[in-house]
Amino acid sequence: MLSTSQQAPMGNRSTLITIGKNGELRHLFWPTHNYPQHVRGSLPGIICGKGQNESFSWLTDDPWTRRQRYLPDSTILETTFTDNRNGFEVRATDFVLPSKDALVRVFEIASKNLAPIDTSFLYYNDFDIAETPVGDACYYDQRSDTIVSYKRNYWFAFGGQRRSSAHQCGVHEEASDAFVDARDGKLSGNSLALYSGTRGVNSCLKWDLGSLNPGVKEQLVLLMCFAHNKQDALSLIDTARKSSLPEMVNDVNKYCQDWLRNAKVARVPEAWEDLLRRSLLTLRTLVSPDFGGIVAAPTLEPDYRYVWSRDGTYVAYALDRCGYHKDAEAFYRWCKEAQEPNGGWNQRYHIEKTPAPSWGEQEDQCATILWGFGQHYELTKNRDFLEDVWPTIEKGVEHLLLGREPETGLVGPSLDLWEEKSALHTYTNSAACGALRESAKVASVLGRDALAESWKKENGILQSAIVKHLWSEQNNRFLKSVKPLDNDIDTAIIGLSFPFCVLQPDDPRILSTAHQIENAFRYTAEGIGRYPSDVYHGGNPWFITTLWMALYHCQVGNYQKAKTLIDWSAGHVDELQLFAEQVNRENGEPVSASPLAWSHAMFILSLLNFKEA
């Protein structure tokens, strides 16, 4: 295990929250899983001692050290904060309620000092409601001992099950600034903060714990509830306050374990079982049951909080393979509703199916969805589903066929799957072959025999074009792309074999290409990258590409090699067993977005395809 995760996701049908590696509330996506993100800062702090010996510290900063873990088979996160200098240990337990839009943060404070010590606990909130501080407001509700932060139809109620000792609502960089006053613990009692500019408002609550005796633990249950109006927000926090902590914990554990029990997965090697369950739970947090979209990663740096249809299809395929057919079908219906009038799909979308910022045509997204429709039918035999998505398939195939380059007959030019270069790409055309083949099968099932024959013929033509224009005798392998020529080795070329089956995995041309891909990377941390000249984050091994090669080795029956690659991936997860996008090429630590849904999906698929000797 390596360093703590960049962040730990948790959520329910309408909420996606992440807790950062220092125990801070990092992201609060609500009422959808990717927009808006409402939090700029949300931190716990402690004041200990008296008079000149009094000291304040945020638990997220030095001198505190932190360890994190998920509770087994659950999305409940436990963060242990230790301050050996001042003699304190704090355990935070975080979870989102399954049936209420509420985050519960439980803090258990213990003194390891030899004598009693005066202790106070503070919690600071700085909202950027709807992703901007402009127009935010907050006030303290005396009756319910609640800080209410709001703007338009976004209302946030924050408080504890124990009544607070002091409060403050403030404005950044003004005398009322709650962040500044939290440090000396002297909250002013200011009960209202409004600001129309960009500074924003903030707030803090304080709980005096008295003289904390050695070995004695004080527990604070803090609640943050979200609703579309004041009445519902206050009602929700009142209801949550009346719930017992064991009852709330049991609800979350049941929600998680019911999901895991629904998995239909044959036994996998024991060393990978925990990671499989964690991957399934992670995907549960990134799938929107109400909309059907799947968030690529709950991150803003890099900004991956969107739905990429290609990434989502790999996730849906993994879910389908594990028996979660309802969730996979919901994603494909999301694709149906998001399809553009021209039959294609934009590069990426928000959960609610509106286009996200994009920078070019990317036809592998369209092709992968069409391939996924066929895979879903093969696994479910749901003819009603096929009938429903048939117009989507027909328009999508027509879009691909009209998007071929006249001279070569290849699909494109478009951006490659790494979204960097526009050309005629081997991976894009492999996906298009898979799309045509699977769509022809669907047409046949539905009795569209003429179209089935036509698309089958077009698949053969495209396959021949791939071999003619993208195979290099000189290099004895397939090229990354032509027009313009890109002779770089790229792991995505193996898409010819997995998952699109354009050529057999033991085809000599595929064997030679795969061999050259594996020998192209020489990282200190080992693993397999995207392509040798990659410079993104310095050019690193990726979980996706390493597991892609593991899946290929499963295809050719080289399970020992596949095991080596799967073990490498399993050995480079973070402290929370989450797969990031990349691994640092030198020190092996997770890099970039974490957790990445596509990485978790590829790990699951690798386990499903692996066979022990």
Side-chain angles (χ1 to χ4, degrees):
M1 295 296 175
L2 300 170
S3 60
T4 54
S5 172
Q6 178 183 341
Q7 55 192 352
M10 56 191 69
N12 59 25
R13 299 188 72 90
S14 55
T15 305
L16 175 57
I17 279 171
T18 70
I19 304 295
K21 64 181 180 181
N22 292 321
E24 77 280 17
L25 172 56
R26 177 170 291 186
H27 296 124
L28 195 173
F29 298 104
W30 176 84
T32 74
H33 282 57
N34 81 322
Y35 185 83
Q37 197 290 111
H38 300 284
V39 170
R40 177 161 56 175
S42 186
L43 312 168
I46 274 188
I47 295 177
C48 62
K50 184 181 292 186
Q52 291 184 341
N53 294 322
E54 183 178 276
S55 67
F56 169 84
S57 59
W58 297 112
L59 273 64
T60 54
D61 295 342
D62 292 336
W64 295 87
T65 60
R66 292 155 291 275
R67 301 189 315 275
Q68 286 184 320
R69 70 178 186 116
Y70 277 117
L71 298 188
D73 292 345
S74 178
T75 54
I76 296 176
L77 179 73
E78 183 180 277
T79 306
T80 302
F81 305 85
T82 304
D83 178 3
N84 291 320
R85 186 184 68 182
N86 292 306
F88 279 93
E89 184 172 280
V90 178
R91 184 174 66 185
T93 304
D94 294 302
F95 53 88
V96 173
L97 296 177
S99 57
K100 298 181 179 68
D101 287 332
L103 168 67
V104 182
R105 304 207 73 183
V106 183
F107 293 91
E108 191 174 78
I109 303 101
S111 170
K112 299 191 292 183
N113 291 281
L114 297 177
I117 184 169
D118 286 356
T119 308
S120 297
F121 186 90
L122 299 95
Y123 199 94
Y124 166 82
N125 278 314
D126 180 4
F127 289 99
D128 268 1
I129 299 176
E131 305 200 2
T132 174
V134 177
D136 284 359
C138 67
Y139 71 91
Y140 175 70
D141 183 77
Q142 175 70 31
R143 179 197 65 80
S144 63
D145 186 37
T146 301
I147 297 279
V148 179
S149 303
Y150 67 97
K151 179 165 58 191
R152 299 185 68 183
N153 64 332
Y154 301 111
W155 291 74
F156 301 86
F158 175 76
Q161 286 189 334
R162 178 192 300 193
R163 194 166 185 90
S164 68
S165 310
H167 68 271
Q168 183 166 331
C169 299
V171 176
H172 282 284
E173 301 176 29
E174 293 192 357
S176 61
D177 192 331
F179 184 79
V180 173
D181 286 349
R183 300 189 65 85
D184 60 20
K186 295 179 175 60
L187 302 186
S188 67
N190 187 49
S191 295
L192 176 66
L194 309 171
Y195 194 79
S196 59
T198 59
R199 289 181 185 174
V201 301
N202 54 21
S203 61
C204 189
L205 289 178
K206 176 184 176 183
W207 290 265
D208 290 328
L209 304 180
S211 184
L212 199 60
N213 289 308
V216 174
K217 297 178 180 178
E218 288 283 347
Q219 187 182 80
L220 289 170
V221 179
L222 308 185
L223 304 158
M224 187 180 293
C225 301
F226 337 120
H228 288 298
N229 58 61
K230 177 176 72 173
Q231 293 76 19
D232 288 349
L234 290 173
S235 175
L236 184 54
I237 198 169
D238 282 346
T239 301
R241 279 172 166 146
K242 295 171 185 174
S243 302
S244 71
L245 181 58
E247 177 187 358
M248 292 189 287
V249 168
N250 287 338
D251 284 347
V252 178
N253 285 334
K254 183 178 185 303
Y255 175 78
C256 295
Q257 288 155 22
D258 284 350
W259 166 257
L260 291 175
R261 273 193 292 271
N262 288 331
K264 296 177 175 61
V265 180
R267 185 173 178 81
V268 302
E270 185 177 354
W272 301 334
E273 285 180 351
D274 286 347
L275 276 175
L276 171 62
R277 292 195 296 272
R278 179 55 53 200
S279 289
L280 291 171
L281 285 172
T282 301
L283 294 185
R284 169 76 288 177
T285 67
L286 301 180
V287 170
S288 170
D290 291 337
F291 288 93
I294 301 169
V295 174
T299 61
L300 297 182
E301 295 179 2
D303 192 358
Y304 281 12
R305 53 156 164 187
Y306 305 107
V307 183
W308 275 265
S309 55
R310 174 205 52 249
D311 299 34
T313 301
Y314 278 95
V315 174
Y317 180 51
L319 292 173
D320 251 339
R321 293 276 304 275
C322 292
Y324 297 107
H325 301 310
K326 180 179 178 182
D327 296 273
E329 181 173 324
F331 172 74
Y332 291 124
R333 292 188 185 279
W334 179 96
C335 293
K336 170 194 170 186
E337 294 171 18
Q339 188 178 34
E340 298 300 316
N342 69 358
W345 280 266
N346 283 325
Q347 197 171 54
R348 56 185 187 172
Y349 290 84
H350 292 283
I351 282 285
E352 66 273 23
K353 310 177 192 75
T354 56
S358 300
W359 49 90
E361 291 290 326
Q362 194 177 351
E363 296 300 356
D364 72 279
Q365 308 264 7
C366 172
T368 306
I369 292 171
L370 297 176
W371 170 84
F373 284 146
Q375 298 306 305
H376 182 68
Y377 175 74
E378 285 297 318
L379 291 163
T380 64
K381 301 302 180 185
N382 184 348
R383 187 184 173 95
D384 290 340
F385 166 79
L386 283 193
E387 293 280 7
D388 186 54
V389 300
W390 170 250
T392 306
I393 294 172
E394 196 168 14
K395 285 196 299 182
V397 172
E398 182 179 358
H399 175 81
L400 282 180
L401 293 177
L402 289 174
R404 290 173 296 183
E405 195 264 346
E407 185 178 347
T408 61
L410 295 169
V411 172
S414 74
L415 289 174
D416 62 324
L417 82 162
W418 310 128
E419 299 171 349
E420 294 176 333
K421 299 177 181 179
S422 183
L424 303 174
H425 299 285
T426 296
Y427 177 82
T428 301
N429 280 273
S430 299
C433 262
L436 289 169
R437 184 186 64 250
E438 296 303 318
S439 298
K441 291 178 183 177
V442 168
S444 180
V445 169
L446 296 179
R448 273 76 169 184
D449 295 334
L451 272 181
E453 284 302 313
S454 174
W455 292 351
K456 185 177 179 181
K457 181 180 178 182
E458 294 290 355
N459 174 53
I461 292 171
L462 183 56
Q463 184 173 345
S464 297
I466 290 172
V467 172
K468 179 179 179 180
H469 298 288
L470 291 165
W471 168 256
S472 170
E473 288 288 351
Q474 180 181 354
N475 293 284
N476 196 29
R477 61 172 169 81
F478 282 94
L479 302 169
K480 179 174 180 173
S481 61
V482 293
K483 290 197 169 185
L485 172 67
D486 189 335
N487 199 33
D488 209 351
I489 289 174
D490 192 317
T491 304
I493 297 170
I494 212 65
L496 284 164
S497 181
F498 182 90
F500 302 119
C501 302
V502 180
L503 297 172
Q504 292 299 309
D506 59 354
D507 185 299
R509 293 165 295 186
I510 297 294
L511 289 169
S512 178
T513 300
H515 178 73
Q516 291 185 54
I517 289 171
E518 288 194 287
N519 288 325
F521 302 98
R522 291 290 183 269
Y523 301 125
T524 302
E526 301 182 327
I528 294 172
R530 299 191 298 176
Y531 50 91
S533 62
D534 192 5
V535 295
Y536 183 46
H537 285 291
N540 297 305
W542 286 41
F543 287 108
I544 293 166
T545 48
T546 303
L547 292 165
W548 212 330
M549 289 307 301
L551 284 157
Y552 170 72
H553 282 294
C554 288
Q555 282 187 314
V556 295
N558 189 353
Y559 294 109
Q560 187 55 50
K561 181 61 177 178
K563 182 179 185 301
T564 299
L565 296 169
I566 297 171
D567 280 339
W568 180 90
S569 300
H572 287 81
V573 294
D574 62 27
E575 187 179 32
L576 297 177
Q577 298 186 312
L578 301 178
F579 288 93
E581 179 183 67
Q582 308 173 38
V583 166
N584 183 283
R585 61 190 296 158
E586 299 297 333
N587 62 28
E589 293 194 358
V591 173
S592 191
S594 177
L596 188 70
W598 193 2
S599 296
H600 281 277
M602 294 294 268
F603 178 72
I604 292 169
L605 292 171
S606 297
L607 301 196
L608 296 176
N609 284 16
F610 180 81
K611 294 180 182 178
E612 291 190 275

